[in-house]
Amino acid sequence: MRYPAAVLLMLIALVPVVPAHAVVAEGIYYLQGVTSGLHLAQTGNSVVLHRPEGDLDHQQWWVRGERIENTDSPGSCLNRSLTITPCTTDGTAWEFVAAGDQWDIPGLATGGETRWYLTPISSPRLPMPADPTLDQVTFLTAHNAFANGVDGDFAAPILNIARNQTRGITRQLADGVRGFMIDIHETPQGAMLCHGGCDWVPHPVALRTDLQRIVDFLAAHPSEIVTVFLQDGVSAPVLGAELARVQGLQSVLFRPDQAGVRENGWPTLSAMRASGRRLLLFTDRYPPDGRDSYGVMYQREWTVENYWSMGGPIGSADWACYTRWDERPLTATGTFQPLFVMNHFRDIPFPITIYNDNGKIARRAEQFCQPAARKKPSYLAVDMYELSKASAAVATLNTYTYRP
């Protein structure tokens, strides 16, 4: 029986499309769970999911043909029972089925992960475009920018010595800091900058004071772009009243929710400069309770961020680069690329330790955090940014774009 052409086309459309077996380019990769962002790591003769830790934790895998060999155990491969055996034994051949930038590897399922990123340990880099988009550049960021002991008190007198920064906001701006992490607390005087609360703080600085410094700087420097991250301990009405007292604020606020970022991605720097809207304000407060009506965006909708501390003030650092928010892995993406806030500091600031840590920030960014997030840091957040090589790391990151 002959079928009409229209019927044949309908029957063809009903036949499921079977993804083709793909060949993975030979190389060394991180096998990264799509849901959690955790890395597959060898532990003894078995494998588990661990926090991304670069080359320190048996997390690098050499994919050659159909075999997955751990770089720390030459000649030993992952087999179908999810154990490590000689690569010559049965069960060490795998299929790789491409699914966009992700991979289905039938039989490789552990810790709830069934789909994987194969992230090269050394990703190809492209030259920085002449007019990059916001997510392609990196900004030097001051952790606890207000806790500097120059602009005013930020803690009770005995705690005021634990400064995260040693220079005031105006000097930070002049030195090239373009990201500011600020804690705000509610007092009868409004939103004040205090660490852990404003009780016993003799002379705290008001949020409006530092924001006015930033807005005035932007007015005097029309090519600059600044971001403020609020660790937000005030009510929405108090925040709104505080922002209303900052002259010129609304004319420079950039609102990604109104600028089409969800649909079109981040704008170019030239577009932001042309619009005059060059200040981003983020809050960590949930629920945001209408803060967006003031132009303050809920941070988790627009960024990803790694865990905030590398450990105590002295001793070795934890260089693992993993999400601060369990529900949002560093690899999160979608219709736009979230900005990546990379924290690189300890629990308590200690100058000698900070000097040492800041000297290693480029290595951690490029060899640990970029692969963990599958994106370049947008903000490098440090204590005492002037110590060692934080600015140099930012300059290096701004010579290329990163794409896995």
Side-chain angles (χ1 to χ4, degrees):
M1 176 184 293
R2 291 190 173 183
Y3 293 98
V7 174
L8 288 173
L9 289 173
M10 181 180 69
L11 292 172
I12 292 171
L14 292 175
V15 176
V17 177
V18 179
H21 173 69
V23 176
V24 179
E26 181 176 327
I28 301 175
Y29 297 87
Y30 297 106
L31 274 67
Q32 192 169 22
V34 169
T35 301
S36 66
L38 298 178
H39 284 181
L40 194 71
Q42 178 181 345
T43 300
N45 288 324
S46 62
V47 290
V48 293
L49 290 175
H50 278 178
R51 294 168 174 170
E53 202 167 358
D55 58 356
L56 302 180
D57 185 41
H58 312 295
Q59 296 180 4
Q60 298 184 350
W61 300 90
W62 194 348
V63 177
R64 291 191 281 190
E66 298 177 324
R67 285 173 171 76
I68 303 173
E69 178 180 349
N70 193 276
T71 58
D72 292 330
S73 301
S76 297
C77 288
L78 181 65
N79 68 20
R80 296 260 173 178
S81 62
L82 301 187
T83 58
I84 304 298
T85 57
C87 297
T88 54
T89 58
D90 292 338
T92 56
W94 296 88
E95 278 187 287
F96 297 87
V97 182
D101 63 348
Q102 303 169 12
W103 294 84
D104 289 319
I105 309 175
L108 182 51
T110 184
E113 296 288 0
T114 59
R115 181 168 282 188
W116 305 87
Y117 291 117
L118 268 63
T119 303
I121 66 166
S122 298
S123 179
R125 301 176 180 182
L126 300 175
M128 181 68 74
D131 187 16
T133 55
L134 186 67
D135 58 313
Q136 291 177 319
V137 296
T138 302
F139 298 97
L140 180 62
T141 300
H143 169 237
N144 285 347
F146 67 98
N148 54 60
V150 176
D151 295 328
D153 298 314
F154 59 90
I158 195 171
L159 300 176
N160 252 346
I161 60 172
R163 302 177 183 182
N164 297 98
Q165 307 298 333
T166 60
R167 300 173 178 179
I169 296 295
T170 299
R171 176 66 184 275
Q172 292 177 32
L173 286 162
D175 288 346
V177 175
R178 295 295 178 265
F180 298 85
M181 293 179 168
I182 292 175
D183 297 3
I184 55 174
H185 294 270
E186 191 165 324
T187 75
Q189 291 74 41
M192 309 301 286
L193 311 182
C194 306
H195 203 179
C198 290
D199 294 341
W200 311 109
V201 180
H203 305 290
V205 177
L207 172 63
R208 60 184 177 272
T209 300
D210 276 354
L211 285 183
Q212 191 67 64
R213 289 172 171 142
I214 291 170
V215 170
D216 292 346
F217 174 84
L218 290 172
H221 301 82
S223 66
E224 299 301 330
I225 295 167
V226 171
T227 304
V228 174
F229 301 91
L230 298 176
Q231 186 170 316
D232 192 344
V234 307
S235 65
V238 167
L239 179 59
E242 192 79 10
L243 298 180
R245 300 176 69 175
V246 181
Q247 296 181 10
L249 174 64
Q250 292 302 320
S251 65
V252 296
L253 271 184
F254 175 77
R255 295 191 51 166
D257 59 333
Q258 295 181 355
V261 170
R262 286 192 178 95
E263 298 78 19
N264 305 311
W266 296 98
T268 62
L269 302 191
S270 67
M272 295 182 70
R273 290 163 179 153
S275 72
R277 298 194 172 276
R278 296 168 289 119
L279 174 61
L280 292 85
L281 285 181
F282 290 114
T283 176
D284 69 348
R285 182 69 171 247
Y286 184 84
D289 288 337
R291 281 167 168 76
D292 58 348
S293 65
Y294 313 127
V296 183
M297 303 289 101
Y298 180 48
Q299 186 181 343
R300 296 193 197 189
E301 293 183 1
W302 303 100
T303 74
V304 294
E305 182 174 338
N306 67 311
Y307 185 67
W308 65 273
S309 174
M310 296 191 296
I314 58 176
S316 59
D318 181 0
W319 277 35
C321 210
Y322 57 97
T323 183
R324 185 174 186 173
W325 310 315
D326 289 342
E327 76 282 5
R328 191 163 171 76
L330 296 182
T331 52
T333 189
T335 57
F336 70 97
Q337 184 72 280
L339 305 176
F340 173 24
V341 180
M342 179 185 154
N343 295 312
H344 187 80
F345 46 82
R346 308 282 188 119
D347 294 2
I348 299 171
F350 190 62
I352 295 175
T353 303
I354 292 170
Y355 183 90
N356 186 52
D357 288 345
N358 285 358
K360 300 174 181 177
I361 191 170
R363 178 169 181 254
R364 186 174 184 228
E366 294 185 324
Q367 298 184 22
F368 288 69
C369 291
Q370 280 184 170
R374 293 174 58 83
K375 56 180 72 73
K376 193 171 74 172
S378 307
Y379 302 93
L380 280 187
V382 297
D383 286 335
M384 300 182 189
Y385 64 87
E386 74 279 8
L387 295 183
S388 199
K389 302 177 181 178
S391 295
V394 171
T396 297
L397 290 169
N398 280 328
T399 61
Y400 64 87
T401 59
Y402 171 93
R403 287 293 181 268

